[in-house]
């Protein structure tokens, strides 16, 4: 057989990978009836292509350790950032949204966990979303904008003052930049801020309504002959026997039952 040496150095030949192919024509001084068996030596990170050694494609590498296998793809969710002629898995880096140190062929890139993001290619770790924000359960987030204010907080993660607590007597049920909603009339959060549910608004004295029930429109006055002396989701209490509120609505004390 005829040896076609793609590299001129004897060290290149010793360290290079041996690749074989069959030629059906008589060339390179070979006169065998069936053609020639040509052995080609390519120095990593090259491999034998169509008649010559070729550089590795993007997102692949070829090292001396795997020289007999040709090009090897970078681990899933990683790449070479457009570079060619990569000689080791360490030339591969995790894509945005993924983290990991690629130091061996079995190294992996792991998706950023919920509440984290990574906006650059590279070995660095994922970054935690700003305080009072998350990614809504999504994994592999690739930019800060994927973080949104959690329920009970409003604003944008990219604009100061960022995610701020909903004021007293307001609430916000969903993640996002939505504004906080005011409690329904005749209800209050008792001074508490950052409330995430409509049901955190409680009907005041003289009014009833279970506001965590979406079918309940709001707080309604206690019917005649009943009262409510607490701020709560509890219903109004009926006056005792043989007493009433003289048809008055919204009574706040048992003393109004006469």
């Amino acid at each position: 057989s005829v040896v076609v040496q793609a590299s001129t150095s004897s060290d290149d030949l010793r360290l290079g990978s041996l690749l074989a192919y069959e030629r059906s024509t008589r060339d390179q001084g070979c006169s065998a009836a069936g053609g020639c068996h040509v052995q080609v030596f390519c120095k990593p990170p090259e491999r034998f292509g169509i008649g010559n050694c070729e550089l590795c494609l993007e997102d692949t590498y070829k090292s001396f350790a795997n020289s007999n296998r040709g090009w090897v793809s970078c681990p899933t969710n990683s790449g070479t950032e457009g570079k060619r002629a990569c000689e080791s898995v360490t030339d591969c880096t995790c894509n945005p949204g993924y983290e990991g140190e690629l130091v061996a062929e079995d190294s992996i890139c792991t998706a950023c966990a919920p509440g984290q993001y990574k906006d650059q290619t590279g070995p660095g770790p994922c970054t935690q979303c700003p305080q009072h924000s998350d990614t809504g359960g999504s994994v592999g987030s690739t930019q800060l904008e994927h973080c949104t204010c959690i329920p009970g907080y409003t604003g944008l993660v990219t604009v100061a003052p960022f995610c701020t607590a909903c004021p007293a007597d307001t609430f916000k049920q969903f993640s996002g930049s939505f504004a906080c909603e005011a409690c329904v009339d005749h209800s209050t959060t008792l001074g508490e801020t950052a409330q995430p549910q409509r049901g955190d608004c409680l009907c005041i004295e003289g009014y009833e309504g279970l506001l965590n029930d979406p079918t309940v429109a709001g707080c309604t006055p206690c019917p005649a002959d009943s009262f409510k002396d607490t701020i709560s989701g509890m219903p109004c209490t009926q006056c005792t026997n043989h007493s009433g509120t003289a048809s008055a609505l919204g009574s706040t004390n048992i003393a109004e039952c006469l």
Side-chain angles (χ1 to χ4, degrees), residues 12 17-18 38 45-47 53 56 69 74 81 85 103-104 138 153 160 162 167 176 190 198 209 221 227 244 246:
D12 291 344
S17 62
L18 176 60
V38 180
E46 297 176 339
R47 78 165 186 180
C53 291
C56 295
R69 291 188 292 159
C74 287
E81 298 185 77
V103 295
S138 297
Y153 290 81
F162 311 113
L190 293 171
R198 182 174 181 256
F227 69 96

Side-chain angles (χ1 to χ4, degrees), residues 2-14:
V2 175
V3 175
V4 178
Q5 185 176 335
S7 300
T8 57
S9 164
S10 60
D11 287 339
D12 291 344
L13 180 60
R14 178 173 58 83

Side-chain angles (χ1 to χ4, degrees), residues 49-222:
I50 303 175
N52 63 296
C53 291
E54 300 175 336
L55 287 176
C56 295
L57 298 175
E58 295 178 14
D59 304 333
T60 67
Y61 65 96
K62 180 183 176 197
S63 64
F64 291 117
N66 61 31
S67 58
N68 63 330
R69 291 188 292 159
W71 297 332
V72 177
S73 295
C74 287
T76 303
N77 300 311
S78 72
T80 60
E81 298 185 77
K83 295 183 295 185
R84 298 181 64 182
C86 297
E87 300 186 25
S88 168
V89 68
T90 59
D91 292 315
C92 305
T93 54
C94 293
N95 295 336
Y98 291 82
E99 63 181 353
E101 295 281 348
L102 301 180
V103 295
E105 287 194 17
D106 59 354
S107 299
I108 62 173
C109 294
T110 305
C112 294
Q116 298 180 342
Y117 70 97
K118 179 167 168 269
D119 57 6
Q120 296 180 344
T121 298
C126 300
T127 302
Q128 196 70 31
C129 286
Q131 189 176 24
H132 307 307
S133 70
D134 64 17
T135 59
S138 297
V139 300
S141 295
T142 59
Q143 53 186 301
L144 171 61
E145 288 77 6
H146 291 167
C147 301
T148 57
C149 297
I150 62 174
Y153 290 81
T154 186
L156 294 170
V157 295
T158 55
V159 180
F162 311 113
C163 295
T164 56
C166 292
D169 299 336
T170 68
F171 67 96
K172 177 170 165 277
Q173 296 190 83
F174 305 104
S175 293
S177 58
F178 317 110
C180 303
E181 297 182 56
C183 290
V184 297
D185 291 344
H186 310 296
S187 70
T188 177
T189 63
L190 293 171
E192 295 292 330
T193 61
Q195 298 304 296
Q197 299 291 335
R198 182 174 181 256
D200 293 317
C201 302
L202 304 173
C203 294
I204 63 174
E205 300 95 330
Y207 288 81
E208 65 179 354
L210 194 58
L211 298 181
N212 58 5
D213 183 347
T215 65
V216 174
C219 297
T220 56
C222 290

Side-chain angles (χ1 to χ4, degrees), residues 216-233:
V216 174
C219 297
T220 56
C222 290
D225 304 330
S226 67
F227 69 96
K228 179 166 167 275
D229 57 6
T230 61
I231 299 174
S232 68

